[in-house]
């Protein structure tokens, strides 16, 4: 669709891909966030690994898991560049990711210690995804009110899912 000039069909396909990836990654992120302590305790809490360790590792999991939705959308955007025959921009985004991540890692590690590394990952992935989408938007106009409305409703429902998961976990454990 990209190379044959079918712009409308291509835009629909890319928008559908973004919606599917968001539909999977938003609720998955919410569920893992809500169950992070239980997941870590189940996997590691035995021997010298105690509840304090579980809480610390769970915090890192909670921070890291927040980067999944933006990274999933980033992958769809990168595929769009490749399908259009553009290999320079995806390379540029990878290089930008590396340098921006290194910069943020240095700054945020000083301020937040190890949690700063996880926060740097989230910020890097979100910013690079935003830049990638902004450049692609100038070319093929994929972002519209319908997509943003869908993503907003999905984010809100995933937030409700996360809150429900945390509350139910606390009630039943």
């Amino acid at each position: 669709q990209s190379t044959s000039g079918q712009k409308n069909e291509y835009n629909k396909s890319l928008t559908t891909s973004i919606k599917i990836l968001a539909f999977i990654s938003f609720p998955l992120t919410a569920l893992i966030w809500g169950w992070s302590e239980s997941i870590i305790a189940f996997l590691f809490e035995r021997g010298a690994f105690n509840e304090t360790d579980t809480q610390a590792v769970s915090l890192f999991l909670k921070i890291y898991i927040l980067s999944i939705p933006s990274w999933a959308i980033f992958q769809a955007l990168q595929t769009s560049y490749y399908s259009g025959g553009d290999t320079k921009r995806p390379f540029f985004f990878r290089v930008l990711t590396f340098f921006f991540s290194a910069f943020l890692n240095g700054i945020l590690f000083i301020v937040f210690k190890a949690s700063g590394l996880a926060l740097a990952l989230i910020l890097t992935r979100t910013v690079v995804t935003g830049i990638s989408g902004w450049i692609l938007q100038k070319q093929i106009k994929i972002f519209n009110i319908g997509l943003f409305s869908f993503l907003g409703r999905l984010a809100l429902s995933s937030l409700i899912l996360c809150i429900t998961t945390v509350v139910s976990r606390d009630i039943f454990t």
Side-chain angles (χ1 to χ4, degrees), residues 35-46 49-51 53-55 57-58 61:
W35 287 100
S36 63
E37 288 92 1
S38 300
I39 292 168
I40 298 301
F42 175 75
L43 292 174
F44 300 112
E45 200 171 292
R46 57 184 122 348
F49 198 96
N50 59 28
E51 190 174 328
D53 299 324
T54 297
Q55 294 301 316
V57 173
S58 173
L61 178 60

Side-chain angles (χ1 to χ4, degrees), residues 100-124:
F100 191 59
S101 179
F103 173 74
L104 285 179
N105 280 336
I107 291 172
L108 295 177
F109 182 76
I110 293 169
V111 177
F112 299 108
K113 303 295 179 226
S115 297
L117 300 176
L119 183 58
L121 177 73
I122 293 170
L123 293 174
T124 299

Side-chain angles (χ1 to χ4, degrees), residues 5 19 65 72 82 157 160:
K19 285 180 176 181
I65 200 71
Y82 286 123
S157 62
I160 293 168

